[in-house]
Amino acid sequence: MHDHVLTFKCDLDILGTANSFLKHTLVPAQVTYPWSTETRSTMQLQKETVANEDQGKLNWPDNGSGMFVVANVEKPNAFGESPGFLIKPSQGGAGTYLTVQNSSNLKEAGHFTSNHLFVAQRRDTEPFASHSDNSNDPGNPIVNFNDFSNSEGLEQQDLVLWFNLGMG
C-alpha cells in the first residue's frame, strides 16, 4: 500500500504582495438575541489570523466547518471587508497527505507531505517542495521542505501556499 500526493505551490497576490492568512471556523454557540427571550443554539464564525509559519502547517477542518482566506487586511473595501480569496476545502479524498508520518524510507525527503496545507513567506530560493533526486539520499535531501518553515511571520507578507492533493 502507498499514497499518491501531489504538491502544488500557489502564489496569490491580493492588491499587492502584502497579504495575510486567516482561518474562519464555524463553531457551535449559545446566543441570546435582542429580539428573543430565550437562548438559541446556533453557530458563529470565528476569525483568526495565522501569525507565523509554524501555525501555517494546517489540515482541512473536520465536518467542512472551516475555510481559509488569503487577504490584504490593510486595504479594506467600501464595506470595511478585506479583499481576498476564500479557500473552502471539499469533503472527500481530494486532500490526501502522507499516511505514514516520520517514514523510515523518506526520512527528511518527505516533509512536504505531512499536512494538507502549508503557508509560508515567498522565497525565490524555494521554487519546489521536493527534488527528483531526493530519493538518492533521503536523510540529506537536495530540497528539505522542513527548511521552508522557520517561524517567520505571515502577517502582511508575500505569501505562498503549498497544498497537497492526492489519494491513498
Side-chain angles (χ1 to χ4, degrees):
M1 294 188 302
H2 63 276
D3 297 320
H4 291 271
V5 179
L6 304 173
T7 304
F8 296 88
K9 180 180 181 180
C10 180
D11 186 354
L12 299 170
D13 294 331
I14 317 301
L15 298 176
T17 57
N19 296 150
S20 293
F21 192 80
L22 314 168
K23 287 184 354 183
H24 290 185
T25 308
L26 295 170
V27 295
Q30 300 292 316
V31 178
T32 304
Y33 293 99
W35 46 264
S36 177
T37 59
E38 61 187 59
T39 300
R40 296 184 179 262
S41 295
T42 185
M43 63 180 90
Q44 292 180 330
L45 185 63
Q46 183 179 59
K47 297 180 180 182
E48 176 185 353
T49 300
V50 177
N52 62 54
E53 291 176 335
D54 294 329
Q55 295 175 1
K57 298 175 182 178
L58 302 162
N59 287 320
W60 301 141
D62 292 333
N63 197 29
S65 64
M67 54 213 110
F68 304 110
V69 180
V70 176
N72 189 326
V73 298
E74 292 180 351
K75 296 184 179 178
N77 63 21
F79 301 101
E81 295 293 329
S82 300
F85 280 98
L86 176 70
I87 300 162
K88 177 75 170 119
S90 68
Q91 298 301 302
T96 297
Y97 59 92
L98 197 64
T99 303
V100 178
Q101 298 290 306
N102 302 312
S103 167
S104 56
N105 292 333
L106 289 175
K107 298 182 182 173
E108 299 298 313
H111 293 297
F112 64 96
T113 62
S114 63
N115 292 82
H116 290 131
L117 174 69
F118 298 86
V119 185
Q121 282 193 25
R122 183 186 178 283
R123 299 279 178 252
D124 289 336
T125 57
E126 301 171 346
F128 306 106
S130 185
H131 191 280
S132 60
D133 290 334
N134 273 4
S135 61
N136 293 336
D137 187 3
N140 186 31
I142 293 170
V143 175
N144 187 339
F145 190 78
N146 237 15
D147 295 341
F148 291 17
S149 183
N150 50 14
S151 304
E152 291 181 304
L154 297 177
E155 296 181 61
Q156 290 305 106
Q157 299 292 322
D158 192 0
L159 304 180
V160 294
L161 310 179
W162 298 90
F163 61 94
N164 290 315
L165 301 176
M167 63 189 114

